Amino acid sequence: MNGSTTFDLPISGMTCASCAGRVERALGKVPGVQSVSVNLANERAHIEVLGQMDPSVLIAAVDKAGYTASLPQTETKTDADQAQRLHRERWSLTLAIVLALPLVVPMLVQPFGLHWMLPAWVQFALATPVQFIFGARFYIAAWKAVRAGAGNMDLLVAIGTSAGYGLSLYEWLTAPAGSMPHLYFEASAVVIALVLLGKYLESRAKRQTASAIRALEALRPERAIRVREGQEEDVAISALTLNDLVLVKPGERFPVDGEVVEGQSHADEALISGESLPVPKQPGDKVTGGAINGEGRLLVRTLALGAESVLARIIRLVEDAQAAKAPIQKLVDKVSQVFVPTVLVLALITLLGWWLYGASLETAIINAVAVLVIACPCALGLATPTAIMAGTGVAARHGILIKDAEALERAHAVSAVVFDKTGTLTSGTPKIAHLAAVDGNQSLLLQQAGALQRGSEHPLAKAVLDACNEQGLKVEDVSASQSLTGRGIAGTLDGRLLALGNRRLLEESGLEAGDLAASAKHWEAEGRTLSWLIEQGAQPRVLGLFAFGDTLKPGALEAVTQLKARHISSHLLTGDNRGSAQVVAQALGIDDVHAEVLPADKAATVAELKKTGVVAMVGDGINDAPALAAADIGIAMGGGTDVAMHAAGITLMRGDPRLVPAALEISRKTYAKIRQNLFWAFVYNLIGIPLAAFGLLNPVLAGAAMALSSVSVVSNALLLKTWKPKDLEDPHP
């Protein structure tokens, strides 16, 4: 058989990017495997094999590499497992902190002349569960790393904490009766507790990332009404085949991609294409699965199913974009791969050096352990999480929800911001942009249109009625009102038969645009939606013309201006027509416009811009999800879809565009704190390791220095809490 088969296997036990790499290498060695991609974000392996293969072979390969693979479960079961694991991690973290606090407090108050040191047996009783129960995961991960010939942070944590714990045990057991030896239980317990905090935050981020895919998949209806030989039957989507006829009722989502066979309606495709206005549908028109049907019943012929549908392709694009993102842990692991062996070699050199120098074996061991203790990545592990926690906390108070630590770290370098149009820079609801009355009486024209539209739920009708309310115009009742499907609406007002509708209605009435032709052409070029008010009857005539369009959000111009002041370029990226895009761009002073762009192309456009700098994407719809995931930083506008918010690393709680420059500012400040913290963390190591190696820093002082480095890092991070957005006039809703 020449065909290929794909498998998606859940993988557990991965803690870092190097783990994902080891799983990929293990699966790649299985005969018949063509390609492997392991996604750390959703903890899945996507495998393509030649012909058919028993999945147990792949599972066995993963098990041999030291990890666990299983067959895919239902979404409900997966969610439950993830929630249970997160709950378990939260309890482990809480208990580890509770046990470590009594150990670290006496050490912190000792310089102030307070001697609160606990008896040795109490320290042992508190530290042992932290070391071997809550710290067991680090020993397991370290063993896997050693077996694979790699070094990671888990290995350093395991060695450093074991050294501190082992030395404490040695000092306690060899101390003369009645004396109080120097113990280092607090160093090992605190390191483990703090690293567990980082692991817990990482697990939460992973869960949020995976939820983007789940939110997209939830848009796909599970069932459809199939019509065969005039009989309607409710079937599962999986039971449908190509060319099946499907009935879609008003208000329902289209279950498949297809072509309208019977009926007329409008489709809300805002989530798919970015088009803010309902799109008319009649026989011969294409419809997209996931879009919402309007007022009419439609019979649709199925043209695409499953993986070939537009929505499925969007899901794949989001998955691919997420998989392409390098996790933050990857950088930490790279540092560790050099840091760990270097520290181990230095500790060994210290041990041998002092022993050969003639010092006692105990002195040599104590100095070597001091090197390992001072090198424990306590401050290094705290540098990023504390700054991120402080930065995200203060940002949330001002309506900026930062969910992705990587986005926070990268946002400082943004050189270009790509804005979606509809719902992001504009309100997403149509308003009357222009109107022209043949007789010059615009108020009467508006009243007549309002009378026809009274009681209608159509977005254009709402725009007309809103305009009447704003001008305080009284709207009369019409008689004999009727909907002209695909054309507009008609009714009788004061004995006159009036109709309001599109160009098709104008042409069917045998009328010409006349004096309004130039205005109509100009407004259409701007991307406006046109509606003609005509008088029907014995002598039909044109009464006036309405042009509908989207309106700019308050703060949109200010946001673009602020970005320009910071030398950040703005781009407009939309599925709308070029005319309407240009109108918005000119109003805001945006030079780079990408119009009539499909979801797949949005991600490609962002990828192209990434070649020249760091790109932030701002959007609010499903159609923006691939681009949000593909960008260096995805920013979702409040009031948008859940999918966009899940795909983005930053969510603005309100739809205020001015929050975009504010989000970049707090990200820049947070990144500055991260750099400062990492500097101090490394400085302590650069100064402390040589001092420890030369015997000038015993393990007690090494532990204190490590704690001091942690205090300085946390204190520095807390300074972020004083941040306030300068350019936001109303930071609170």
Side-chain angles (χ1 to χ4, degrees):
M1 184 172 180
N2 295 324
S4 61
T5 310
T6 58
F7 296 94
D8 282 293
L9 300 180
I11 310 289
S12 57
M14 296 189 298
T15 61
C16 60
S18 59
C19 296
R22 288 200 284 276
V23 174
E24 279 188 358
R25 287 193 293 275
L27 288 167
K29 291 176 183 175
V30 177
V33 172
Q34 288 183 301
S35 66
V36 183
S37 174
V38 177
N39 188 339
L40 188 65
N42 60 13
E43 297 181 320
R44 283 177 178 265
H46 183 78
I47 310 135
E48 191 172 330
V49 302
L50 193 63
Q52 298 292 322
M53 184 180 289
D54 187 349
S56 61
V57 177
L58 300 170
I59 292 171
V62 176
D63 288 343
K64 192 177 177 182
Y67 304 91
T68 307
S70 58
L71 291 171
Q73 299 173 309
T74 63
E75 290 295 327
T76 307
K77 180 78 166 72
T78 304
D79 281 355
D81 288 349
Q82 286 181 342
Q84 190 179 6
R85 189 176 70 184
L86 204 62
H87 180 73
R88 198 162 53 243
E89 285 189 10
R90 189 159 53 241
W91 268 108
S92 297
L93 172 63
T94 305
L95 292 171
I97 291 172
V98 167
L99 291 171
L101 272 176
L103 291 169
V104 76
V105 169
M107 187 188 72
L108 293 175
V109 300
Q110 193 172 355
F112 302 102
L114 299 171
H115 299 281
W116 294 355
M117 199 60 67
L118 297 171
W121 69 269
V122 177
Q123 294 187 47
F124 171 77
L126 290 169
T128 301
V130 178
Q131 186 73 39
F132 298 109
I133 298 176
F134 304 123
R137 59 182 294 173
F138 302 113
Y139 286 100
I140 295 166
W143 168 242
K144 290 176 183 175
V146 170
R147 200 170 63 178
N152 61 11
M153 195 62 83
D154 291 324
L155 181 62
L156 193 59
V157 170
I159 293 173
T161 57
S162 298
Y165 182 88
L167 181 64
S168 300
L169 214 56
Y170 172 79
E171 290 285 334
W172 180 30
L173 295 174
T174 58
S179 66
M180 184 63 188
H182 292 303
L183 303 178
Y184 318 105
F185 285 122
E186 81 290 331
S188 59
V190 171
V191 168
I192 286 175
L194 291 171
V195 178
L196 281 174
L197 173 64
K199 295 288 184 185
Y200 171 69
L201 295 173
E202 184 185 323
S203 294
R204 280 186 59 185
K206 279 183 183 178
R207 182 167 163 78
Q208 287 172 341
T209 306
S211 62
I213 307 299
R214 292 197 299 271
L216 279 168
E217 289 172 339
L219 290 169
R220 293 193 273 209
E222 293 181 358
R223 303 191 70 79
I225 301 172
R226 184 170 60 191
V227 180
R228 281 189 175 173
E229 299 176 358
Q231 298 296 312
E232 298 178 9
E233 51 181 339
D234 190 319
V235 298
I237 295 293
S238 55
L240 294 174
T241 59
L242 291 178
N243 295 315
D244 271 354
L245 294 178
V246 175
L247 179 68
V248 186
K249 296 176 181 177
E252 290 183 344
R253 289 193 184 275
F254 291 100
V256 295
D257 292 3
E259 182 183 333
V260 178
V261 178
E262 287 180 17
Q264 290 185 327
S265 183
H266 285 80
D268 181 356
E269 297 180 348
L271 299 179
I272 306 295
S273 67
E275 176 59 61
S276 56
L277 299 173
V279 181
K281 299 294 179 185
Q282 59 183 355
D285 290 342
K286 298 287 193 296
V287 294
T288 307
I292 302 169
N293 184 26
E295 73 282 359
R297 287 165 63 97
L298 295 178
L299 194 63
V300 176
R301 178 181 288 109
T302 303
L303 298 179
L305 287 163
E308 299 306 312
S309 67
V310 171
L311 193 57
R313 289 201 296 272
I314 291 176
I315 291 171
R316 282 204 301 275
L317 284 165
V318 176
E319 285 177 329
D320 292 346
Q322 288 182 344
K325 284 184 177 181
I328 291 174
Q329 193 62 41
K330 192 171 183 178
L331 177 62
V332 177
D333 283 343
K334 280 184 179 177
V335 172
S336 302
Q337 283 176 4
V338 179
F339 193 62
V340 174
T342 304
V343 170
L344 290 175
V345 170
L346 288 172
L348 185 61
I349 292 172
T350 303
L351 178 71
L352 294 172
W354 279 98
W355 185 57
L356 293 172
Y357 182 69
S360 67
L361 187 60
E362 184 179 339
T363 300
I365 290 173
I366 286 175
N367 288 337
V369 168
V371 170
L372 287 171
V373 170
I374 193 76
C376 264
C378 186
L380 198 61
L382 271 176
T384 301
T386 53
I388 286 170
M389 288 172 70
T392 53
V394 71
R397 289 207 303 272
H398 295 283
I400 302 162
L401 181 63
I402 302 171
K403 302 184 297 178
D404 184 350
E406 188 176 1
L408 188 79
E409 287 191 31
R410 298 217 58 190
H412 79 281
V414 166
S415 57
V417 176
V418 180
F419 289 96
D420 171 53
K421 182 178 78 72
T422 306
T424 303
L425 292 174
T426 66
S427 61
T429 54
K431 302 283 184 187
I432 296 176
H434 311 285
L435 76 159
V438 173
D439 62 1
N441 191 342
Q442 293 186 352
S443 297
L444 179 61
L445 185 76
L446 199 55
Q447 277 182 303
Q448 290 170 332
L452 287 171
Q453 299 282 26
R454 192 170 180 181
S456 174
E457 296 298 321
H458 195 282
L460 297 186
K462 189 175 182 303
V464 172
L465 294 169
D466 285 348
C468 289
N469 288 334
E470 286 171 12
Q471 296 189 25
L473 300 174
K474 188 181 178 184
V475 179
E476 303 287 345
D477 285 324
V478 294
S479 57
S481 178
Q482 60 173 337
S483 176
L484 308 173
T485 307
R487 296 168 196 78
I489 192 167
T492 303
L493 181 67
D494 299 330
R496 299 166 68 190
L497 184 59
L498 303 179
L500 181 67
N502 54 24
R503 182 170 286 278
R504 189 184 298 168
L505 175 68
L506 188 73
E507 290 168 354
E508 289 181 1
S509 303
L511 296 171
E512 298 288 337
D515 295 340
L516 300 177
S519 297
K521 188 176 179 181
H522 179 65
W523 294 342
E524 273 185 324
E526 289 183 358
R528 309 297 188 186
T529 300
L530 302 186
S531 284
W532 301 82
L533 183 66
I534 63 175
E535 183 177 352
Q536 297 178 316
Q539 294 183 326
R541 63 190 181 104
V542 175
L543 298 178
L545 173 62
F546 293 84
F548 297 91
D550 213 348
T551 53
L552 288 177
K553 279 187 176 179
L557 178 60
E558 196 178 337
V560 173
T561 306
Q562 287 172 24
L563 291 172
K564 193 174 287 184
R566 297 173 193 178
H567 307 289
I568 299 172
S569 63
S570 296
H571 299 251
L572 188 62
L573 183 62
T574 179
D576 274 6
N577 62 69
R578 184 161 295 278
S580 61
Q582 286 290 356
V583 169
V584 171
Q586 286 169 10
L588 297 176
I590 298 175
D591 299 324
D592 299 294
V593 180
H594 313 267
E596 300 172 7
V597 184
L598 297 172
D601 298 329
K602 280 192 173 186
T605 304
V606 169
E608 190 64 30
L609 288 170
K610 282 171 69 177
K611 293 177 182 177
T612 56
V614 179
V615 177
M617 170 71 195
V618 188
D620 71 324
I622 291 173
N623 61 300
D624 302 319
L628 287 167
D632 294 297
I633 301 97
I635 303 176
M637 298 293 285
T641 65
D642 289 342
V643 174
M645 293 183 187
H646 285 306
I650 300 175
T651 297
L652 307 180
M653 309 290 274
R654 306 188 308 281
D656 188 344
R658 292 175 299 175
L659 287 174
V660 173
L664 296 181
E665 186 193 350
I666 184 60
S667 300
R668 182 177 58 77
K669 286 186 177 295
T670 304
Y671 182 73
K673 290 296 179 191
I674 289 171
R675 280 193 305 184
Q676 292 165 15
N677 286 351
L678 286 171
F679 170 78
W680 284 112
F682 277 112
V683 161
Y684 276 104
N685 277 318
L686 288 173
I687 296 173
I689 289 175
L691 289 175
F694 286 108
L696 301 172
L697 193 68
N698 66 35
V700 175
L701 291 174
M706 189 183 66
L708 185 60
S709 70
S710 304
V711 171
S712 66
V713 161
V714 173
S715 303
N716 189 41
L718 289 175
L719 293 174
L720 282 170
K721 291 187 175 291
T722 60
W723 176 80
K724 288 183 180 178
K726 298 175 188 173
D727 305 313
L728 205 57
E729 295 172 0
D730 50 347
H732 298 287

